[in-house]
Amino acid sequence: MSRDLHLNELGEFLKARRADLNPADVGLPAAGEQPRRVAGLRREEVALLASISTEYYARIEQGRLQASIPVLADLARVLRLNADQRVYLFDLAAKNKLPSHDTRQTVDPQLQLLLDDLAITPAVVSGRRTDVLAWNRLAAALIADYANIPEDHRTFIRILFTDPVMRTLYMDWEEVAHVAIAQVRMESAHYPGDPKLTALVNELSAHDPQFRQWWTEHQVAGRTTGIRRLRHPVVGELTLGWNTLTSASDPDQKLIVWTAPPGSAAHDALRLLASWAADQNLRASGNVTRA
């Protein structure tokens, strides 16, 4: 059964990628043929270009056959897979069993120390399925007060789709949501059949039709770098760069930081937000000095 899980996902991924291509994209003639019932390349066209039989390719796509590495390499070439997609394909193909257990992740102590030292840099530690394992005060002020979210629901992709505030905070919310889904899909290749991920996908699919549609597109992306545009209720609009650092002790833990160039309007906004967050913390603790 465990083999079927990763082979079925691999087959669905290949099917989605051939749907993205037209005959002209791969040098096949399109003139004079009957109208196509479905978008993209046909199975026989992919098989022809990969120099394998249509039956052999069909069995791969149906999750009934473990393809060899050379065949996967040919399919990656034929389907014009990018670097992230190739990594995902080979990672998924290499998995033939479920993880023996899924222990609850806890933040690496060194990452926690680093978080605590980042006074004007928002940062979080993200785990499997984008679980938010730890954060600093400025990240809570910038994105969400994670402490008020139950631990079992403290997953970024869930917050992104279920908290209406996120659609206002992120000026490019749809792009952020697409990337988050692609990153979760990418990481799912490490743990095919993960029951917690399955439950999360089912929950969000039932909750949000956009998530349901985008998840079935089988797009993948690694956690790297990028730009985010925010509209914050305290400091207004700001554009921040984000970067991802991987923990050496647990590669499933990623430190994600948001930064702005010194002297920029966004950098000034982060300093202002840090001051505001510190003041809010003092008020909450009852340590505000009254004149």
Side-chain angles (χ1 to χ4, degrees), residues 155-218:
T155 300
F156 177 70
I157 197 169
R158 177 190 278 111
I159 298 168
L160 193 61
F161 277 90
T162 60
D163 186 348
V165 172
M166 295 294 104
R167 298 176 188 250
T168 302
L169 175 67
Y170 285 104
M171 298 173 66
D172 48 356
W173 180 86
E174 286 202 7
E175 178 186 342
V176 174
H178 270 105
V179 170
I181 289 175
Q183 290 172 341
V184 171
R185 174 74 77 176
M186 181 86 167
E187 294 177 0
S188 72
H190 301 153
Y191 303 100
D194 173 9
K196 290 187 176 180
L197 177 59
T198 299
L200 177 62
V201 170
N202 290 341
E203 172 196 338
L204 295 179
S205 295
H207 171 82
D208 192 292
Q210 286 179 300
F211 177 90
R212 183 167 60 250
Q213 175 189 342
W214 295 339
W215 182 258
T216 60
E217 292 174 359
H218 291 262

Short mmCIF file of all heavy atoms in Angstrom, two decimals, residues 155-218:
data_model
loop_
_atom_site.label_atom_id
_atom_site.label_comp_id
_atom_site.label_asym_id
_atom_site.label_seq_id
_atom_site.Cartn_x
_atom_site.Cartn_y
_atom_site.Cartn_z
N THR A 155 -0.31 26.28 11.72
CA THR A 155 0.31 25.92 10.45
C THR A 155 0.09 27.06 9.47
O THR A 155 -1.05 27.50 9.29
CB THR A 155 -0.31 24.62 9.90
OG1 THR A 155 -0.10 23.57 10.85
CG2 THR A 155 0.34 24.22 8.58
N PHE A 156 1.16 27.55 8.88
CA PHE A 156 1.06 28.77 8.07
C PHE A 156 0.05 28.62 6.94
O PHE A 156 -0.76 29.53 6.72
CB PHE A 156 2.43 29.15 7.51
CG PHE A 156 2.38 30.36 6.61
CD1 PHE A 156 2.14 31.62 7.15
CD2 PHE A 156 2.53 30.25 5.24
CE1 PHE A 156 2.06 32.75 6.33
CE2 PHE A 156 2.45 31.36 4.42
CZ PHE A 156 2.23 32.62 4.97
N ILE A 157 0.07 27.49 6.24
CA ILE A 157 -0.82 27.38 5.09
C ILE A 157 -2.28 27.35 5.54
O ILE A 157 -3.17 27.87 4.84
CB ILE A 157 -0.46 26.16 4.23
CG1 ILE A 157 -1.12 26.29 2.85
CG2 ILE A 157 -0.83 24.85 4.92
CD1 ILE A 157 -0.62 25.29 1.84
N ARG A 158 -2.55 26.79 6.71
CA ARG A 158 -3.91 26.82 7.24
C ARG A 158 -4.32 28.25 7.60
O ARG A 158 -5.42 28.70 7.27
CB ARG A 158 -4.04 25.91 8.46
CG ARG A 158 -5.45 25.97 9.08
CD ARG A 158 -5.54 25.27 10.41
NE ARG A 158 -5.70 23.84 10.27
CZ ARG A 158 -4.78 22.95 10.59
NH1 ARG A 158 -3.61 23.36 11.09
NH2 ARG A 158 -5.00 21.66 10.43
N ILE A 159 -3.43 28.96 8.28
CA ILE A 159 -3.72 30.35 8.65
C ILE A 159 -3.95 31.19 7.40
O ILE A 159 -4.86 32.03 7.35
CB ILE A 159 -2.55 30.93 9.48
CG1 ILE A 159 -2.38 30.14 10.78
CG2 ILE A 159 -2.77 32.40 9.78
CD1 ILE A 159 -1.09 30.43 11.52
N LEU A 160 -3.16 30.95 6.38
CA LEU A 160 -3.24 31.72 5.14
C LEU A 160 -4.61 31.62 4.50
O LEU A 160 -5.13 32.59 3.94
CB LEU A 160 -2.15 31.24 4.18
CG LEU A 160 -1.83 32.07 2.94
CD1 LEU A 160 -1.35 33.45 3.33
CD2 LEU A 160 -0.78 31.35 2.10
N PHE A 161 -5.22 30.42 4.58
CA PHE A 161 -6.50 30.20 3.91
C PHE A 161 -7.71 30.37 4.82
O PHE A 161 -8.82 30.54 4.32
CB PHE A 161 -6.53 28.80 3.29
CG PHE A 161 -5.87 28.73 1.94
CD1 PHE A 161 -4.52 28.43 1.84
CD2 PHE A 161 -6.59 28.97 0.78
CE1 PHE A 161 -3.90 28.36 0.59
CE2 PHE A 161 -5.98 28.92 -0.45
CZ PHE A 161 -4.63 28.61 -0.56
N THR A 162 -7.51 30.32 6.13
CA THR A 162 -8.68 30.37 7.03
C THR A 162 -8.82 31.70 7.76
O THR A 162 -9.91 31.99 8.27
CB THR A 162 -8.61 29.23 8.06
OG1 THR A 162 -7.41 29.36 8.85
CG2 THR A 162 -8.63 27.87 7.36
N ASP A 163 -7.76 32.48 7.84
CA ASP A 163 -7.84 33.78 8.54
C ASP A 163 -8.05 34.88 7.50
O ASP A 163 -7.16 35.18 6.70
CB ASP A 163 -6.55 34.03 9.32
CG ASP A 163 -6.63 35.29 10.17
OD1 ASP A 163 -7.58 36.08 9.99
OD2 ASP A 163 -5.74 35.50 11.02
N PRO A 164 -9.22 35.52 7.49
CA PRO A 164 -9.50 36.56 6.49
C PRO A 164 -8.50 37.71 6.52
O PRO A 164 -8.28 38.38 5.50
CB PRO A 164 -10.90 37.05 6.86
CG PRO A 164 -11.51 35.95 7.67
CD PRO A 164 -10.36 35.30 8.39
N VAL A 165 -7.87 37.95 7.66
CA VAL A 165 -6.90 39.04 7.78
C VAL A 165 -5.74 38.84 6.81
O VAL A 165 -5.17 39.81 6.29
CB VAL A 165 -6.39 39.15 9.23
CG1 VAL A 165 -5.24 40.15 9.33
CG2 VAL A 165 -7.52 39.56 10.16
N MET A 166 -5.37 37.58 6.53
CA MET A 166 -4.24 37.31 5.65
C MET A 166 -4.46 37.84 4.24
O MET A 166 -3.53 38.29 3.58
CB MET A 166 -3.98 35.79 5.58
CG MET A 166 -3.53 35.17 6.89
SD MET A 166 -1.90 35.76 7.45
CE MET A 166 -2.40 36.89 8.75
N ARG A 167 -5.70 37.83 3.78
CA ARG A 167 -6.00 38.29 2.42
C ARG A 167 -5.88 39.80 2.30
O ARG A 167 -5.74 40.35 1.20
CB ARG A 167 -7.38 37.81 1.99
CG ARG A 167 -7.49 36.29 1.94
CD ARG A 167 -8.89 35.83 1.61
NE ARG A 167 -9.00 34.40 1.76
CZ ARG A 167 -9.14 33.51 0.77
NH1 ARG A 167 -9.18 33.95 -0.48
NH2 ARG A 167 -9.24 32.23 1.00
N THR A 168 -5.96 40.47 3.43
CA THR A 168 -5.75 41.92 3.45
C THR A 168 -4.28 42.25 3.70
O THR A 168 -3.73 43.17 3.08
CB THR A 168 -6.62 42.58 4.54
OG1 THR A 168 -7.99 42.27 4.30
CG2 THR A 168 -6.42 44.08 4.56
N LEU A 169 -3.66 41.49 4.59
CA LEU A 169 -2.26 41.74 4.93
C LEU A 169 -1.35 41.55 3.73
O LEU A 169 -0.50 42.40 3.45
CB LEU A 169 -1.83 40.79 6.06
CG LEU A 169 -0.35 40.85 6.46
CD1 LEU A 169 -0.01 42.19 7.10
CD2 LEU A 169 -0.01 39.70 7.42
N TYR A 170 -1.51 40.44 3.01
CA TYR A 170 -0.67 40.18 1.84
C TYR A 170 -1.32 40.84 0.62
O TYR A 170 -2.38 40.41 0.15
CB TYR A 170 -0.53 38.68 1.60
CG TYR A 170 0.42 38.01 2.56
CD1 TYR A 170 -0.07 37.22 3.61
CD2 TYR A 170 1.79 38.13 2.42
CE1 TYR A 170 0.80 36.60 4.49
CE2 TYR A 170 2.67 37.51 3.30
CZ TYR A 170 2.16 36.75 4.33
OH TYR A 170 3.02 36.13 5.20
N MET A 171 -0.66 41.85 0.08
CA MET A 171 -1.18 42.54 -1.09
C MET A 171 -1.18 41.62 -2.32
O MET A 171 -1.95 41.82 -3.26
CB MET A 171 -0.37 43.80 -1.35
CG MET A 171 -0.45 44.81 -0.21
SD MET A 171 0.67 46.24 -0.41
CE MET A 171 -0.05 47.02 -1.85
N ASP A 172 -0.29 40.63 -2.31
CA ASP A 172 -0.23 39.65 -3.40
C ASP A 172 -0.65 38.27 -2.86
O ASP A 172 0.04 37.28 -3.04
CB ASP A 172 1.17 39.60 -4.00
CG ASP A 172 2.26 39.49 -2.93
OD1 ASP A 172 1.93 39.52 -1.72
OD2 ASP A 172 3.45 39.37 -3.30
N TRP A 173 -1.82 38.24 -2.18
CA TRP A 173 -2.23 37.03 -1.46
C TRP A 173 -2.28 35.80 -2.36
O TRP A 173 -1.83 34.72 -1.96
CB TRP A 173 -3.60 37.23 -0.81
CG TRP A 173 -4.06 36.01 -0.05
CD1 TRP A 173 -3.77 35.68 1.24
CD2 TRP A 173 -4.85 34.94 -0.57
NE1 TRP A 173 -4.34 34.47 1.56
CE2 TRP A 173 -5.02 33.99 0.47
CE3 TRP A 173 -5.45 34.69 -1.81
CZ2 TRP A 173 -5.75 32.82 0.30
CZ3 TRP A 173 -6.18 33.51 -1.98
CH2 TRP A 173 -6.32 32.59 -0.93
N GLU A 174 -2.81 35.91 -3.56
CA GLU A 174 -2.93 34.74 -4.43
C GLU A 174 -1.56 34.17 -4.76
O GLU A 174 -1.38 32.95 -4.78
CB GLU A 174 -3.70 35.09 -5.71
CG GLU A 174 -5.19 35.25 -5.48
CD GLU A 174 -6.00 35.07 -6.75
OE1 GLU A 174 -5.41 34.69 -7.79
OE2 GLU A 174 -7.22 35.31 -6.71
N GLU A 175 -0.60 35.03 -5.02
CA GLU A 175 0.76 34.54 -5.30
C GLU A 175 1.34 33.83 -4.07
O GLU A 175 1.94 32.77 -4.18
CB GLU A 175 1.66 35.69 -5.71
CG GLU A 175 3.10 35.26 -5.98
CD GLU A 175 4.03 36.44 -6.24
OE1 GLU A 175 3.53 37.53 -6.54
OE2 GLU A 175 5.26 36.25 -6.11
N VAL A 176 1.15 34.44 -2.90
CA VAL A 176 1.63 33.83 -1.65
C VAL A 176 0.99 32.47 -1.46
O VAL A 176 1.66 31.49 -1.09
CB VAL A 176 1.34 34.75 -0.45
CG1 VAL A 176 1.72 34.06 0.86
CG2 VAL A 176 2.10 36.06 -0.59
N ALA A 177 -0.32 32.38 -1.69
CA ALA A 177 -1.03 31.12 -1.51
C ALA A 177 -0.56 30.06 -2.49
O ALA A 177 -0.36 28.89 -2.12
CB ALA A 177 -2.53 31.36 -1.67
N HIS A 178 -0.35 30.44 -3.75
CA HIS A 178 0.16 29.49 -4.75
C HIS A 178 1.52 28.95 -4.33
O HIS A 178 1.79 27.74 -4.41
CB HIS A 178 0.28 30.18 -6.12
CG HIS A 178 -0.95 30.09 -6.95
ND1 HIS A 178 -1.80 31.16 -7.15
CD2 HIS A 178 -1.49 29.06 -7.66
CE1 HIS A 178 -2.80 30.79 -7.93
NE2 HIS A 178 -2.63 29.53 -8.26
N VAL A 179 2.40 29.85 -3.89
CA VAL A 179 3.75 29.44 -3.48
C VAL A 179 3.68 28.52 -2.26
O VAL A 179 4.39 27.51 -2.20
CB VAL A 179 4.63 30.67 -3.19
CG1 VAL A 179 5.94 30.25 -2.53
CG2 VAL A 179 4.90 31.44 -4.48
N ALA A 180 2.84 28.85 -1.30
CA ALA A 180 2.72 28.02 -0.11
C ALA A 180 2.26 26.61 -0.45
O ALA A 180 2.80 25.62 0.06
CB ALA A 180 1.76 28.66 0.89
N ILE A 181 1.28 26.51 -1.33
CA ILE A 181 0.81 25.19 -1.76
C ILE A 181 1.92 24.44 -2.47
O ILE A 181 2.15 23.24 -2.22
CB ILE A 181 -0.42 25.34 -2.67
CG1 ILE A 181 -1.63 25.79 -1.85
CG2 ILE A 181 -0.73 24.03 -3.38
CD1 ILE A 181 -2.86 26.08 -2.69
N ALA A 182 2.62 25.12 -3.37
CA ALA A 182 3.70 24.46 -4.11
C ALA A 182 4.82 23.99 -3.18
O ALA A 182 5.42 22.93 -3.40
CB ALA A 182 4.26 25.41 -5.17
N GLN A 183 5.11 24.75 -2.14
CA GLN A 183 6.15 24.36 -1.20
C GLN A 183 5.72 23.16 -0.36
O GLN A 183 6.52 22.23 -0.14
CB GLN A 183 6.49 25.55 -0.28
CG GLN A 183 7.21 26.67 -0.99
CD GLN A 183 7.37 27.91 -0.14
OE1 GLN A 183 6.67 28.10 0.86
NE2 GLN A 183 8.30 28.78 -0.51
N VAL A 184 4.47 23.15 0.07
CA VAL A 184 3.98 21.99 0.83
C VAL A 184 3.98 20.75 -0.05
O VAL A 184 4.36 19.66 0.38
CB VAL A 184 2.57 22.27 1.39
CG1 VAL A 184 1.97 21.00 1.99
CG2 VAL A 184 2.63 23.36 2.45
N ARG A 185 3.56 20.90 -1.30
CA ARG A 185 3.57 19.76 -2.23
C ARG A 185 4.99 19.26 -2.44
O ARG A 185 5.23 18.05 -2.46
CB ARG A 185 2.95 20.19 -3.55
CG ARG A 185 3.01 19.17 -4.66
CD ARG A 185 2.04 18.05 -4.48
NE ARG A 185 0.68 18.43 -4.83
CZ ARG A 185 -0.35 17.57 -4.84
NH1 ARG A 185 -0.16 16.32 -4.50
NH2 ARG A 185 -1.56 17.98 -5.14
N MET A 186 5.93 20.17 -2.58
CA MET A 186 7.34 19.79 -2.77
C MET A 186 7.84 18.97 -1.59
O MET A 186 8.45 17.91 -1.76
CB MET A 186 8.18 21.06 -2.92
CG MET A 186 9.66 20.83 -3.14
SD MET A 186 10.01 20.58 -4.89
CE MET A 186 11.79 20.74 -4.90
N GLU A 187 7.56 19.44 -0.38
CA GLU A 187 8.06 18.76 0.81
C GLU A 187 7.33 17.46 1.08
O GLU A 187 7.85 16.57 1.76
CB GLU A 187 7.98 19.69 2.01
CG GLU A 187 8.92 20.89 1.87
CD GLU A 187 8.79 21.88 3.02
OE1 GLU A 187 7.98 21.65 3.93
OE2 GLU A 187 9.52 22.89 2.98
N SER A 188 6.11 17.32 0.54
CA SER A 188 5.34 16.10 0.77
C SER A 188 6.01 14.87 0.15
O SER A 188 5.73 13.74 0.54
CB SER A 188 3.92 16.26 0.21
OG SER A 188 3.92 16.24 -1.22
N ALA A 189 6.90 15.10 -0.83
CA ALA A 189 7.59 13.98 -1.45
C ALA A 189 8.49 13.26 -0.46
O ALA A 189 8.81 12.08 -0.64
CB ALA A 189 8.43 14.47 -2.64
N HIS A 190 8.93 13.94 0.60
CA HIS A 190 9.78 13.31 1.61
C HIS A 190 8.99 12.35 2.48
O HIS A 190 9.55 11.42 3.05
CB HIS A 190 10.43 14.38 2.50
CG HIS A 190 11.26 15.36 1.74
ND1 HIS A 190 11.48 16.65 2.19
CD2 HIS A 190 11.91 15.26 0.56
CE1 HIS A 190 12.26 17.29 1.31
NE2 HIS A 190 12.52 16.47 0.32
N TYR A 191 7.67 12.59 2.60
CA TYR A 191 6.82 11.76 3.48
C TYR A 191 5.52 11.43 2.77
O TYR A 191 4.45 11.90 3.16
CB TYR A 191 6.53 12.50 4.79
CG TYR A 191 7.77 12.91 5.54
CD1 TYR A 191 8.24 14.22 5.46
CD2 TYR A 191 8.49 12.00 6.30
CE1 TYR A 191 9.39 14.61 6.13
CE2 TYR A 191 9.64 12.38 6.96
CZ TYR A 191 10.08 13.68 6.87
OH TYR A 191 11.23 14.06 7.52
N PRO A 192 5.58 10.61 1.71
CA PRO A 192 4.34 10.27 0.99
C PRO A 192 3.37 9.55 1.92
O PRO A 192 3.74 8.68 2.70
CB PRO A 192 4.83 9.36 -0.14
CG PRO A 192 6.16 8.85 0.30
CD PRO A 192 6.76 9.94 1.14
N GLY A 193 2.12 9.95 1.85
CA GLY A 193 1.12 9.32 2.71
C GLY A 193 1.07 9.86 4.11
O GLY A 193 0.40 9.28 4.97
N ASP A 194 1.73 10.98 4.39
CA ASP A 194 1.72 11.58 5.71
C ASP A 194 0.27 11.82 6.14
O ASP A 194 -0.44 12.63 5.53
CB ASP A 194 2.49 12.90 5.67
CG ASP A 194 2.42 13.71 6.96
OD1 ASP A 194 1.91 13.18 7.96
OD2 ASP A 194 2.87 14.86 6.96
N PRO A 195 -0.21 11.15 7.20
CA PRO A 195 -1.63 11.29 7.57
C PRO A 195 -2.00 12.70 8.01
O PRO A 195 -3.13 13.14 7.77
CB PRO A 195 -1.80 10.27 8.71
CG PRO A 195 -0.42 10.03 9.23
CD PRO A 195 0.50 10.19 8.06
N LYS A 196 -1.07 13.41 8.64
CA LYS A 196 -1.39 14.77 9.07
C LYS A 196 -1.52 15.70 7.87
O LYS A 196 -2.38 16.59 7.86
CB LYS A 196 -0.32 15.29 10.03
CG LYS A 196 -0.35 14.61 11.40
CD LYS A 196 0.62 15.27 12.37
CE LYS A 196 0.52 14.64 13.75
NZ LYS A 196 1.46 15.28 14.72
N LEU A 197 -0.68 15.51 6.86
CA LEU A 197 -0.79 16.32 5.66
C LEU A 197 -2.09 15.98 4.93
O LEU A 197 -2.79 16.88 4.45
CB LEU A 197 0.40 16.10 4.74
CG LEU A 197 0.34 16.85 3.40
CD1 LEU A 197 0.24 18.35 3.63
CD2 LEU A 197 1.54 16.51 2.53
N THR A 198 -2.42 14.70 4.87
CA THR A 198 -3.67 14.30 4.22
C THR A 198 -4.87 14.96 4.90
O THR A 198 -5.77 15.47 4.24
CB THR A 198 -3.82 12.77 4.25
OG1 THR A 198 -2.73 12.17 3.54
CG2 THR A 198 -5.13 12.34 3.61
N ALA A 199 -4.87 14.95 6.24
CA ALA A 199 -5.96 15.57 6.98
C ALA A 199 -6.02 17.07 6.73
O ALA A 199 -7.10 17.66 6.58
CB ALA A 199 -5.80 15.28 8.47
N LEU A 200 -4.83 17.71 6.67
CA LEU A 200 -4.77 19.15 6.42
C LEU A 200 -5.31 19.48 5.03
O LEU A 200 -6.09 20.43 4.86
CB LEU A 200 -3.33 19.64 6.57
CG LEU A 200 -3.07 21.11 6.27
CD1 LEU A 200 -3.84 22.01 7.24
CD2 LEU A 200 -1.56 21.42 6.36
N VAL A 201 -4.90 18.72 4.03
CA VAL A 201 -5.36 18.96 2.66
C VAL A 201 -6.87 18.76 2.56
O VAL A 201 -7.58 19.55 1.93
CB VAL A 201 -4.61 18.04 1.67
CG1 VAL A 201 -5.26 18.09 0.28
CG2 VAL A 201 -3.15 18.45 1.58
N ASN A 202 -7.38 17.71 3.20
CA ASN A 202 -8.83 17.47 3.18
C ASN A 202 -9.59 18.61 3.85
O ASN A 202 -10.64 19.04 3.36
CB ASN A 202 -9.14 16.14 3.87
CG ASN A 202 -8.68 14.94 3.07
OD1 ASN A 202 -8.45 15.05 1.86
ND2 ASN A 202 -8.53 13.81 3.72
N GLU A 203 -9.05 19.09 4.97
CA GLU A 203 -9.70 20.19 5.68
C GLU A 203 -9.75 21.45 4.83
O GLU A 203 -10.81 22.09 4.69
CB GLU A 203 -8.94 20.47 6.98
CG GLU A 203 -9.40 21.72 7.72
CD GLU A 203 -8.40 22.19 8.76
OE1 GLU A 203 -7.57 21.39 9.22
OE2 GLU A 203 -8.44 23.39 9.12
N LEU A 204 -8.61 21.83 4.24
CA LEU A 204 -8.57 23.06 3.46
C LEU A 204 -9.33 22.92 2.15
O LEU A 204 -9.91 23.90 1.66
CB LEU A 204 -7.12 23.46 3.21
CG LEU A 204 -6.32 23.84 4.47
CD1 LEU A 204 -4.89 24.20 4.12
CD2 LEU A 204 -6.98 24.99 5.22
N SER A 205 -9.34 21.73 1.57
CA SER A 205 -10.11 21.51 0.34
C SER A 205 -11.60 21.69 0.59
O SER A 205 -12.33 22.24 -0.26
CB SER A 205 -9.83 20.11 -0.21
OG SER A 205 -8.47 19.99 -0.61
N ALA A 206 -12.06 21.22 1.75
CA ALA A 206 -13.48 21.38 2.09
C ALA A 206 -13.80 22.83 2.43
O ALA A 206 -14.92 23.31 2.18
CB ALA A 206 -13.83 20.47 3.26
N HIS A 207 -12.81 23.54 2.98
CA HIS A 207 -13.04 24.92 3.44
C HIS A 207 -12.97 25.94 2.32
O HIS A 207 -13.72 26.91 2.31
CB HIS A 207 -12.00 25.27 4.51
CG HIS A 207 -12.00 26.71 4.91
ND1 HIS A 207 -12.88 27.24 5.83
CD2 HIS A 207 -11.22 27.76 4.49
CE1 HIS A 207 -12.65 28.53 5.98
NE2 HIS A 207 -11.66 28.88 5.19
N ASP A 208 -12.07 25.71 1.34
CA ASP A 208 -11.77 26.76 0.37
C ASP A 208 -11.66 26.18 -1.05
O ASP A 208 -10.77 25.37 -1.32
CB ASP A 208 -10.45 27.44 0.75
CG ASP A 208 -10.22 28.72 -0.02
OD1 ASP A 208 -10.01 28.64 -1.24
OD2 ASP A 208 -10.24 29.80 0.59
N PRO A 209 -12.55 26.58 -1.98
CA PRO A 209 -12.49 26.05 -3.34
C PRO A 209 -11.20 26.43 -4.08
O PRO A 209 -10.76 25.69 -4.96
CB PRO A 209 -13.73 26.66 -4.02
CG PRO A 209 -14.11 27.83 -3.17
CD PRO A 209 -13.69 27.49 -1.78
N GLN A 210 -10.63 27.59 -3.75
CA GLN A 210 -9.36 27.97 -4.39
C GLN A 210 -8.26 27.01 -4.00
O GLN A 210 -7.47 26.57 -4.84
CB GLN A 210 -8.98 29.40 -4.01
CG GLN A 210 -9.81 30.47 -4.70
CD GLN A 210 -9.39 31.86 -4.27
OE1 GLN A 210 -9.44 32.21 -3.08
NE2 GLN A 210 -8.96 32.68 -5.22
N PHE A 211 -8.19 26.69 -2.70
CA PHE A 211 -7.18 25.71 -2.29
C PHE A 211 -7.41 24.40 -3.01
O PHE A 211 -6.45 23.79 -3.51
CB PHE A 211 -7.23 25.48 -0.78
CG PHE A 211 -6.26 24.42 -0.31
CD1 PHE A 211 -4.97 24.77 0.06
CD2 PHE A 211 -6.60 23.08 -0.29
CE1 PHE A 211 -4.05 23.81 0.45
CE2 PHE A 211 -5.69 22.09 0.10
CZ PHE A 211 -4.42 22.48 0.48
N ARG A 212 -8.64 23.93 -3.07
CA ARG A 212 -8.94 22.65 -3.70
C ARG A 212 -8.48 22.63 -5.15
O ARG A 212 -7.87 21.66 -5.62
CB ARG A 212 -10.45 22.38 -3.61
CG ARG A 212 -10.88 21.04 -4.16
CD ARG A 212 -12.31 20.71 -3.76
NE ARG A 212 -13.28 21.70 -4.23
CZ ARG A 212 -13.92 22.55 -3.44
NH1 ARG A 212 -13.71 22.57 -2.14
NH2 ARG A 212 -14.81 23.40 -3.96
N GLN A 213 -8.73 23.72 -5.87
CA GLN A 213 -8.32 23.79 -7.28
C GLN A 213 -6.81 23.83 -7.41
O GLN A 213 -6.22 23.09 -8.21
CB GLN A 213 -8.93 25.02 -7.93
CG GLN A 213 -8.45 25.24 -9.38
CD GLN A 213 -8.90 26.58 -9.94
OE1 GLN A 213 -9.84 27.20 -9.41
NE2 GLN A 213 -8.25 27.04 -10.99
N TRP A 214 -6.17 24.69 -6.64
CA TRP A 214 -4.72 24.87 -6.77
C TRP A 214 -3.95 23.64 -6.32
O TRP A 214 -2.90 23.33 -6.88
CB TRP A 214 -4.28 26.11 -5.99
CG TRP A 214 -4.85 27.38 -6.53
CD1 TRP A 214 -5.35 27.58 -7.80
CD2 TRP A 214 -5.01 28.63 -5.85
NE1 TRP A 214 -5.81 28.87 -7.93
CE2 TRP A 214 -5.62 29.54 -6.76
CE3 TRP A 214 -4.71 29.07 -4.57
CZ2 TRP A 214 -5.91 30.86 -6.42
CZ3 TRP A 214 -5.00 30.38 -4.21
CH2 TRP A 214 -5.59 31.27 -5.13
N TRP A 215 -4.44 22.93 -5.32
CA TRP A 215 -3.74 21.72 -4.87
C TRP A 215 -3.72 20.67 -5.98
O TRP A 215 -2.72 19.97 -6.17
CB TRP A 215 -4.40 21.16 -3.61
CG TRP A 215 -3.70 19.94 -3.08
CD1 TRP A 215 -4.09 18.64 -3.23
CD2 TRP A 215 -2.47 19.90 -2.34
NE1 TRP A 215 -3.20 17.79 -2.63
CE2 TRP A 215 -2.20 18.54 -2.07
CE3 TRP A 215 -1.60 20.88 -1.87
CZ2 TRP A 215 -1.06 18.14 -1.35
CZ3 TRP A 215 -0.47 20.49 -1.17
CH2 TRP A 215 -0.22 19.13 -0.91
N THR A 216 -4.80 20.54 -6.73
CA THR A 216 -4.86 19.53 -7.78
C THR A 216 -4.00 19.88 -8.99
O THR A 216 -3.82 19.04 -9.87
CB THR A 216 -6.31 19.31 -8.25
OG1 THR A 216 -6.85 20.55 -8.75
CG2 THR A 216 -7.19 18.83 -7.10
N GLU A 217 -3.46 21.10 -9.04
CA GLU A 217 -2.58 21.47 -10.15
C GLU A 217 -1.19 20.86 -10.01
O GLU A 217 -0.40 20.88 -10.96
CB GLU A 217 -2.48 22.99 -10.25
CG GLU A 217 -3.79 23.65 -10.69
CD GLU A 217 -3.73 25.16 -10.66
OE1 GLU A 217 -2.66 25.71 -10.28
OE2 GLU A 217 -4.74 25.80 -11.00
N HIS A 218 -0.85 20.35 -8.83
CA HIS A 218 0.42 19.64 -8.60
C HIS A 218 1.65 20.48 -8.95
O HIS A 218 2.64 19.97 -9.48
CB HIS A 218 0.45 18.33 -9.41
CG HIS A 218 -0.51 17.28 -8.91
ND1 HIS A 218 -0.13 16.25 -8.08
CD2 HIS A 218 -1.83 17.15 -9.10
CE1 HIS A 218 -1.18 15.51 -7.80
NE2 HIS A 218 -2.24 16.03 -8.41
#
